[in-house]
Amino acid sequence: MDRRDFLHLITVSALSAAIGDLANPGLAAGFAQATPNAGFAPDIELELTMSPDQVPLLPGEPTHVWRFTGRVLKGPAATLETLPSSYLGPVIRLRRGQKVRIRFANRIPEDSIIHWHGLDVPELADGHPRLAIASGADYVYDFEVTNRAGTYWYHPHPHMRTGAQVYQGLAGILIVQDAEEDALGLPSGSAEQLCVLQDRVFDTQNQLVYVPAGRRGNMAMMTGFLGERMLINGRPQPTSEVDASWRRVRLLNASNARIYKLAWTRGLPMVIIGGDGGLLERAVRQQILTLAPGQRADVLLDLTGLSAGTEVSLESRAYPEVDANMGGMNAMMRGNSKVPNGAPLRLMTLRTRDRNGPAFRLPERLSTFDESWVVRPSKTRRVPLSFQRMEWLLGGRTFGDMNEVAAEETVAAGSTQVWEFANLSNRMGMQAAHPIHMHGRQFRVLSRSGANSNSLRSGIIDAGWTDTVLVLPGETVRVQVTFTKHPGLYLYHCHILEHEDMGMMRNFRVV
């Protein structure tokens, strides 16, 4: 960036900060986008409502939850798919290039807004907490699907209540498809399995238990809230009957704070074909897959040749608790859970039937990345991840004012930068793994340094586009991001939801 460009950016940043959201009269007036954009012609129109409900999850009393329900107003009925016996929201299936309108109705007893995690959408469709609407209010999202085929998701994003609302049941998978992926002939239909990983605490009446939110001094908030019972798609450790064939398993870690070290039993490898931002260029085979909160992975499982009645389970393997939490103070700061991060877990089981599915051969090449993968960045910014005054900090700051943006957090639309996330130690010994999520665009991981002895390191996949990067204790991770071309205010934050709610979140402004 030369001097003229730099001065221009500083001038625009200053003007933007001075007028705040007055350039958008709606935002300045506490605007809730309750009416559609008259110039937008949607291909798909959906109604999505969040409201209280009861779902039978465990034997005995039904569990009180908050959940999304949906209805297709325009477009194919298959756009929405309800997961059976689950509190999770409907699966939303979209195609790249579609124009989408979603009419959101908030019917829970507190403010909320929806974030479309991983999608590149305009500012008013991104779900910033300053746009949260009151109970009983409505909001309209209009956006075009520009993302590559992949597994994305949606969840609430109100300030200081994201963790509580997601924990209560408000989350759902969003799948994007495109022609490049269609041509591969990947397993689909009954050979495709969606797996939303969550952990919960239930009381003796089968009701969800969650520690009330608070910014300071709450141990469960500082460590992140960990459950004691593992759920897949809202069901405890399910067993499914499946064909002895290739399967496509889409994994989403929608837990508030738990990091999984995933593996199949019987020595079957993880064949990873995609991550947060869609397909990799080529499949990666390894025994372990590390999946942090907010992250997704698309894996293939080869069950061909297994006899009827053979069981294969998805597990989270044991690892030292210190690899995820709190350095030398991890025992004292464990917080709420009897099942800490790193405990060995059985998540779900697949039992083969005496029947084979369609023949499948894994393609040598899955995808081709565009030129943005190797574009030359204009500048580098260092962002320390630290702990001070009983708070987690990003770049030495927390999230306070909804509109606050520092000078270095103002970026030019479509520009490319390197952001360097440095997970620092401190005199108190307080340190944790932080999955850092950036709104607006997928990005590329350039390098990792430090934390070489961490057992989670070998399971991390950095081979594709991502929107949530796990930064281990003592580690520095450099990412290259080409920012969205949509102007406005976006967020970056830790996706341990309690850290986010405590204020480990910041704005960046695209100008």
Side-chain angles (χ1 to χ4, degrees):
M1 183 182 295
D2 62 25
R3 183 173 182 273
R4 178 176 296 177
D5 290 339
F6 175 75
L7 291 174
H8 173 72
L9 181 58
I10 290 298
T11 301
V12 173
S13 302
L15 287 171
S16 179
I19 65 175
D21 287 314
L22 292 176
N24 185 330
L27 293 183
F31 171 74
Q33 189 178 349
T35 57
N37 179 351
F40 187 83
D43 306 303
I44 301 291
E45 188 167 359
L46 307 175
E47 181 182 82
L48 202 60
T49 301
M50 58 168 63
S51 57
D53 202 352
Q54 298 183 53
V55 179
L57 301 178
L58 304 173
E61 292 294 317
T63 302
H64 294 273
V65 298
W66 291 344
R67 65 184 305 192
F68 287 108
T69 55
R71 188 162 61 101
V72 178
L73 304 177
K74 179 183 179 181
T79 302
L80 292 184
E81 173 192 346
T82 301
L83 294 172
S85 305
S86 175
Y87 56 73
L88 290 170
V91 179
I92 303 176
R93 293 185 182 268
L94 303 173
R95 291 194 67 84
R96 189 175 189 176
Q98 284 181 330
K99 292 184 177 180
V100 181
R101 171 168 292 155
I102 299 177
R103 298 176 179 271
F104 162 50
N106 178 12
R107 302 297 182 260
I108 63 171
E110 59 187 58
D111 294 358
S112 195
I113 196 72
I114 304 174
H115 170 52
W116 311 98
H117 185 121
L119 296 189
D120 183 3
V121 296
E123 175 190 29
L124 292 181
D126 189 56
H128 194 285
R130 80 191 193 289
L131 302 176
I133 59 174
S135 176
D138 299 332
Y139 193 95
V140 178
Y141 297 90
D142 286 337
F143 60 88
E144 182 177 346
V145 180
T146 60
N147 286 67
R148 306 167 74 238
T151 306
Y152 305 91
W153 65 303
Y154 59 97
H155 61 78
H157 216 300
H159 185 34
M160 297 184 69
R161 290 293 293 167
T162 297
Q165 291 188 10
V166 172
Y167 189 88
Q168 199 67 24
L170 292 170
I173 285 185
L174 189 153
I175 293 173
V176 174
Q177 297 170 295
D178 65 16
E180 181 186 43
E181 185 185 272
D182 293 344
L184 298 175
L186 297 171
S188 60
S190 63
E192 179 184 67
Q193 189 153 354
L194 310 180
C195 295
V196 181
L197 282 59
Q198 295 178 310
D199 54 338
R200 296 291 185 264
V201 177
F202 294 88
D203 66 15
T204 57
Q205 303 301 312
N206 293 343
Q207 302 311 307
L208 294 168
V209 177
Y210 184 74
V211 172
R215 288 180 69 91
R216 298 169 183 262
N218 186 321
M219 299 305 181
M221 295 297 289
M222 284 189 282
T223 59
F225 194 86
L226 298 170
E228 299 167 3
R229 186 184 287 265
M230 302 307 119
L231 306 177
I232 297 288
N233 298 344
R235 298 168 55 206
Q237 300 171 308
T239 296
S240 303
E241 301 283 338
V242 300
D243 295 340
S245 61
W246 282 88
R247 297 188 64 75
R248 180 180 188 175
V249 183
R250 296 180 185 259
L251 298 163
L252 160 62
N253 184 352
S255 300
N256 282 37
R258 188 172 296 279
I259 299 172
Y260 297 93
K261 187 176 178 179
L262 299 174
W264 298 111
T265 56
R266 299 186 173 274
L268 295 176
M270 287 277 177
V271 183
I272 300 119
I273 62 170
D276 292 350
L279 293 172
L280 308 181
E281 290 189 302
R282 291 180 173 82
V284 175
R285 292 176 180 265
Q286 55 191 48
Q287 293 302 121
I288 298 293
L289 171 64
T290 297
L291 205 65
Q295 291 185 318
R296 288 86 67 207
D298 202 340
V299 306
L300 295 179
L301 176 63
D302 184 6
L303 299 178
T304 60
L306 296 184
S307 59
T310 302
E311 291 189 348
V312 175
S313 295
L314 179 65
E315 298 181 334
S316 185
R317 299 284 169 82
Y319 62 86
E321 186 180 359
V322 69
D323 286 358
N325 254 20
M326 298 303 176
M329 298 185 70
N330 65 300
M332 184 184 77
M333 301 294 292
R334 181 173 292 178
N336 66 291
S337 184
K338 300 174 184 176
V339 184
N341 254 324
L345 304 168
R346 177 67 58 91
L347 301 174
M348 72 171 184
T349 299
L350 304 178
R351 182 182 299 120
T352 57
R353 294 185 286 244
D354 191 12
R355 186 170 76 226
N356 294 325
F360 172 74
R361 183 173 182 177
L362 179 63
E364 181 179 344
R365 190 175 189 89
L366 297 166
S367 179
T368 301
F369 297 160
D370 62 25
E371 65 276 4
S372 61
W373 183 258
V374 293
V375 70
R376 185 176 179 180
S378 63
K379 63 178 293 186
T380 296
R381 179 192 171 209
R382 183 174 174 84
V383 184
L385 316 179
S386 58
F387 185 86
Q388 296 179 28
R389 304 180 301 276
M390 304 302 286
E391 291 184 312
W392 295 108
L393 308 178
L394 268 179
R397 305 179 180 96
T398 59
F399 189 81
D401 184 339
M402 290 277 191
N403 297 286
E404 181 187 5
V405 182
E408 65 270 26
E409 293 171 324
T410 300
V411 301
S415 66
T416 300
Q417 296 183 5
V418 171
W419 283 23
E420 186 176 273
F421 297 106
N423 197 342
L424 305 178
S425 59
N426 58 75
R427 288 177 295 177
M428 292 180 62
M430 295 288 287
Q431 196 172 25
H434 295 290
I436 301 298
H437 172 50
M438 296 184 71
H439 288 214
R441 282 297 297 270
Q442 302 289 319
F443 54 83
R444 175 189 177 187
V445 177
L446 296 176
S447 65
R448 293 177 180 271
S449 58
N452 293 325
S453 62
N454 193 303
S455 66
L456 293 171
R457 180 77 170 269
S458 63
I460 294 174
I461 296 293
D462 289 331
W465 293 106
T466 189
D467 54 56
T468 307
V469 62
L470 181 61
V471 187
L472 298 169
E475 187 175 47
T476 296
V477 179
R478 300 174 74 244
V479 306
Q480 174 182 291
V481 55
T482 299
F483 294 97
T484 180
K485 294 183 179 180
H486 299 294
L489 208 59
Y490 292 86
L491 295 165
Y492 63 107
H493 58 83
C494 179
H495 218 282
I496 292 176
L497 297 183
E498 288 71 33
H499 290 183
E500 172 188 333
D501 285 343
M502 286 178 70
M504 195 176 186
M505 177 166 70
R506 291 289 302 171
N507 287 315
F508 66 91
R509 188 183 297 278
V510 179
V511 299

